[in-house]
Every structure is written in C-alpha cells, then in structure tokens.
C-alpha cells in the first residue's frame, strides 16, 4: 500500500467463472479492507490470464462501507500452470482526494 513493502501474508484467491477474487484484511495503516473481484480471461492453451486496464478490480471498504472503487492498473506475469496460479496485480483508487495504490504478487493453488 502506498509503495511500501510488507511481509508476505496469507491470502486466498479464487479463479472461478472468469472472476479472480480475494478479500484482504487490513495491511499496515490502510484504513480498511480490500476486496478484489476482477473479470479475467484465461487462455486455455497457454494458461495466460488477461484483464483490461482500467476495469473495476474491486473495492476498498472503510468503516464497513464500500467507499473506494479500485481500478486495475496492471496484471502482469499472470498464468495458470496445472493447479498453480501466479500473478502481480496493481490497483488504485481515490477517496477524498487521496490516492490509494496497492499491489500484490501472488503464487498459490487455484
């Protein structure tokens, strides 16, 4: 969040019916939780995952309210290989004039 690096944390992503999703708990001084729900396409032959930059990627929930819409900045190195999924995801949003950029690198099972 805000360009700072944090220790790796456990997170579970799901990739079902063309939706990549995850719920993140609070990280650092982040004022809420991030929910990722990103429409993606998976190439059946190569396993590459693609999404369109600028698409809604999720929300930042502050005080129990979905106040910040997160837009996709980038989805890179995104691929499904067997039962393994890996990607680097960058999103951003704005609330009361403040930018909320966040990025995550994920490797796990789908």
């Amino acid at each position: 969040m805000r360009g700072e690096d944090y220790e790796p944390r456990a997170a579970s992503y799901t990739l079902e019916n063309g939706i990549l999703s995850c719920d993140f708990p609070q990280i650092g001084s982040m004022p809420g939780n991030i929910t990722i729900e990103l429409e993606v396409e998976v190439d059946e032959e190569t396993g590459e995952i693609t999404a369109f930059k600028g698409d809604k990627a999720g929300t930042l929930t502050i005080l129990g309210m979905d106040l910040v819409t997160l837009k996709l900045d980038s989805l890179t190195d995104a691929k499904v290989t067997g039962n393994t999924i890996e990607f680097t995801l960058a999103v951003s949003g704005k609330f009361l004039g403040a930018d909320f950029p966040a990025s995550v690198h994920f490797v796990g099972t789908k």
Side-chain angles (χ1 to χ4, degrees), residues 18-37:
I19 303 291
L20 179 66
S21 60
C22 179
D23 288 319
F24 279 99
Q26 184 175 358
I27 300 170
S29 62
M30 181 174 78
N33 301 340
I34 290 178
T35 299
I36 298 295
E37 288 184 352

Side-chain angles (χ1 to χ4, degrees), residues 57-104:
T59 55
L60 172 59
T61 302
I62 302 172
L63 300 174
M65 296 179 285
D66 293 342
L67 295 177
V68 180
T69 297
L70 299 173
K71 299 290 186 179
L72 177 66
D73 291 330
S74 65
L75 179 65
T76 57
D77 304 319
K79 192 169 192 173
V80 175
T81 307
N83 202 29
T84 300
I85 183 171
E86 180 174 6
F87 58 85
T88 300
L89 173 71
V91 297
S92 60
K94 229 181 231 298
F95 180 66
L96 298 177
D99 290 323
F100 289 95
S103 63
V104 63

